[in-house]
Amino acid sequence: MAMFEYEFMQRAFWAGACIGIIAPMLGVYLMLRRQALMADTLSHVSLAGVALGSVLGLNPVVCGFVVAVIGGILVEQLRRTYRTYSEVPVAIIMTSGLALAIVLMSFRNNLNKSFSSYLFGSIVAVSDIQLWLIAGVALVGVGYFFVLRRPLYNLTFDEETAQIGGVRVRGLTFSFAVLTGMTVAAAMPIVGVLLVSSLMVLPASLALRLAKGFTAAIVMAVIIGLMGIFSGLTASYYINTPPGGTIALTLLIFLLVGIAFQRLRLVLHKRRARTSWEKVLNEQEYQNKGESHFEI
């Protein structure tokens, strides 16, 4: 039976398509801003939100979503407090979120079993509510990057220059942190908390190495992300492996193959350049010999 005959696979691919568009786009900006670990940080915070929702009898997905957004705002606020030590806010929020999740998990004995889907991702975990939530985040994210593409570009490469140029840096950075938290919480059902950063970092890492411009890097990152998610979900279905790990490994293979291809191309380019230069030297040497013979 074809996998698309199952409704949970249809939901998983639709959710993967939405995440595959917004997460790599966000990853390009995060890597250029030296905030690649922010996705990991907010994923731990989102896990604490899921645990909080389970303990209080609320919707775990919605609670994880809200707490991840709050965590993004706190990271940005702490980043302004520790301007010299930019890695400190990430460490503070990450450890705090993980500690809170562990404590909340201890309040319910049956909570550990249900947490496996949030930790590692599960195809069957994507419900209709989660699908609509993911689609909403993707729509908001694409609109956000389209409308604010110019100030975001200036902010990404030089925050001080952007502020001098009239960009409302504080509001833009906080809105960016909120969008990051939303995306992390939305991606959690697909790849899980432990691997959510792979959807942002790995496609962006390869795109930034291969692309020749900023816009090209974003487009390439989205294409790589979609290919990795669809390939990973398909492989996960047929070989019965966790979707989160399968998607992350697929994206890692893409990255390694891309790096190897780039290095091979560089070696061949140097070899061709060396051969051309040697040919020029040989021709020049031959001409010099001819001129010397003519003078004699």
Side-chain angles (χ1 to χ4, degrees), residues 158-182:
D158 195 335
E159 187 171 323
E160 294 182 358
T161 303
Q163 188 170 9
I164 295 173
V167 177
R168 296 181 179 179
V169 172
R170 186 178 180 86
L172 193 60
T173 53
F174 273 101
S175 64
F176 183 83
V178 169
L179 180 62
T180 304
M182 292 167 58

Side-chain angles (χ1 to χ4, degrees), residues 108-249:
R108 291 186 59 180
N109 296 328
N110 61 343
L111 194 58
N112 294 331
K113 296 181 180 179
S114 61
F115 254 47
S116 61
S117 61
Y118 294 106
L119 289 173
F120 306 107
S122 175
I123 294 177
V124 297
V126 182
S127 62
D128 291 333
I129 296 177
Q130 290 172 328
L131 180 57
W132 283 109
L133 186 65
I134 293 170
V137 170
L139 185 61
V140 170
V142 171
Y144 178 86
F145 286 123
F146 179 78
V147 174
L148 301 175
R149 60 188 183 278
R150 179 56 59 183
L152 277 172
Y153 178 85
N154 297 331
L155 177 69
T156 299
F157 289 98
D158 195 335
E159 187 171 323
E160 294 182 358
T161 303
Q163 188 170 9
I164 295 173
V167 177
R168 296 181 179 179
V169 172
R170 186 178 180 86
L172 193 60
T173 53
F174 273 101
S175 64
F176 183 83
V178 169
L179 180 62
T180 304
M182 292 167 58
T183 305
V184 168
M188 187 170 57
I190 298 294
V191 293
V193 169
L194 300 179
L195 297 171
V196 69
S197 62
S198 64
L199 288 181
M200 301 181 183
V201 175
L202 294 179
S205 300
L206 180 55
L208 290 173
R209 288 187 65 94
L210 300 180
K212 296 182 179 180
F214 182 73
T215 304
I218 291 179
V219 174
M220 187 176 295
V222 171
I223 294 174
I224 294 170
L226 289 173
M227 290 174 58
I229 289 175
F230 292 158
S231 301
L233 285 175
T234 303
S236 173
Y237 173 80
Y238 284 107
I239 62 179
N240 194 25
T241 54
T246 308
I247 292 172
L249 288 176

Side-chain angles (χ1 to χ4, degrees), residues 77-89 92:
Q77 184 63 43
L78 287 174
R79 191 177 71 87
R80 295 183 174 278
T81 304
Y82 295 94
R83 290 182 178 273
T84 307
Y85 308 99
S86 58
E87 73 280 359
V88 171
I92 292 175

Side-chain angles (χ1 to χ4, degrees), residues 15 25 29 33 43 77 98 169 180-181 196 211 220 283 287:
M25 293 175 63
Y29 285 95
R33 296 188 67 193
S43 66
Q77 184 63 43
L98 185 59
V169 172
T180 304
V196 69
M220 187 176 295
E283 291 178 355
Q287 291 177 358

